[in-house]
Amino acid sequence: MNDIIIKLSKQLDFEDVGLVCRTIGKTKDGKYKGLFLVHKTSRSVFTRFNEVCGLGWEDEYFYDAKDNLCCKIKVWDPEKERWVARVGVGTPSEIEKEKATYSDALKRASVEYGHGLELYHMPKIIIDLNENQVELIKGKHYLNRYRVDLKKWTVTYKWENKKVSSLVVKNEKGEIKCQIS
């Protein structure tokens, strides 16, 4: 099982990570700054588990006693000839709540096997935003998705000795928006 865990916890491929804007604040001088988080895609979970485990893994969804959607990922341990299970609890997002909850539960369960664990060690990513990139909805600032397409942004980082030693975020034009060394 240790060999499986090592392979599952290998650094994510850069095409399997993206950015999400967690919150936007306005500075005293009226400028906007966004706090961004690096996240992994659900597709990255399926891809990695299929590569490492082949048909020797399964995911199952259920509701717990508190009515939270959970995902249980089971991996076959050939050494002990038994299934090993890990569970993650999903939380809904503001967009596509049901789909996001399933995705979140799957991604959280996969972390229990080490997949994407480096994302929990990412530095704070603060990016300056222009006024036209921000919209105000019901008193809260949001990223204007018509002006900022985060799916076209890239995140690259170096993960060594269980920490992120460098990180670069580029927008769709290839401009560096954040660089941490």
Side-chain angles (χ1 to χ4, degrees):
M1 188 71 179
N2 286 341
D3 188 42
I4 292 171
I5 297 294
I6 289 168
K7 290 176 182 175
L8 288 173
S9 59
K10 183 183 82 161
Q11 179 179 325
L12 294 169
D13 296 327
F14 296 133
E15 64 267 9
D16 291 330
V17 297
L19 286 175
V20 62
C21 184
R22 183 74 177 137
T23 187
I24 296 174
K26 198 172 186 179
T27 63
K28 291 177 185 176
D29 58 353
K31 296 189 178 180
Y32 293 100
K33 293 191 178 281
L35 172 63
F36 290 78
L37 303 177
V38 181
H39 71 95
K40 64 184 175 185
T41 64
S42 297
R43 183 178 54 256
S44 73
V45 176
F46 293 114
T47 300
R48 179 69 56 87
F49 276 74
N50 285 339
E51 286 173 354
V52 173
C53 304
L55 295 175
W57 78 282
E58 17 181 273
D59 59 329
E60 169 186 328
Y61 298 87
F62 61 94
Y63 287 93
D64 67 10
K66 294 181 181 178
D67 209 29
N68 296 309
L69 181 67
C70 301
C71 175
K72 179 190 295 183
I73 296 179
K74 296 192 293 188
V75 173
W76 180 254
D77 182 347
E79 296 165 8
K80 296 185 178 166
E81 296 185 349
R82 67 180 181 96
W83 288 98
V84 176
R86 302 286 185 266
V87 176
V89 178
T91 56
S93 74
E94 295 177 19
I95 302 168
E96 297 184 63
K97 289 182 182 184
E98 187 174 2
K99 178 184 174 209
T101 307
Y102 276 87
S103 176
D104 191 52
L106 172 76
K107 292 187 275 188
R108 288 175 187 260
S110 72
V111 169
E112 298 294 325
Y113 290 101
H115 181 260
L117 191 60
E118 71 264 23
L119 300 181
Y120 287 89
H121 300 277
M122 288 288 166
K124 283 186 179 179
I125 300 172
I126 308 290
I127 297 176
D128 294 330
L129 299 168
N130 299 325
E131 191 172 336
N132 69 349
Q133 295 175 310
V134 178
E135 58 186 340
L136 187 64
I137 302 173
K138 296 182 182 177
K140 187 174 178 189
H141 292 102
Y142 291 93
L143 196 62
N144 184 327
R145 293 182 303 165
Y146 298 105
R147 303 230 181 224
V148 181
D149 187 357
L150 289 179
K151 290 181 181 182
K152 294 181 181 175
W153 287 34
T154 60
V155 180
T156 55
Y157 57 90
K158 194 168 189 178
W159 172 248
E160 54 189 3
N161 300 322
K162 297 189 177 186
K163 73 183 233 186
V164 176
S165 59
S166 65
L167 177 138
V168 176
V169 176
K170 292 182 181 178
N171 67 10
E172 66 278 4
K173 295 175 185 173
E175 301 166 334
I176 295 175
K177 301 306 283 181
C178 180
Q179 186 166 8
I180 299 169
S181 300

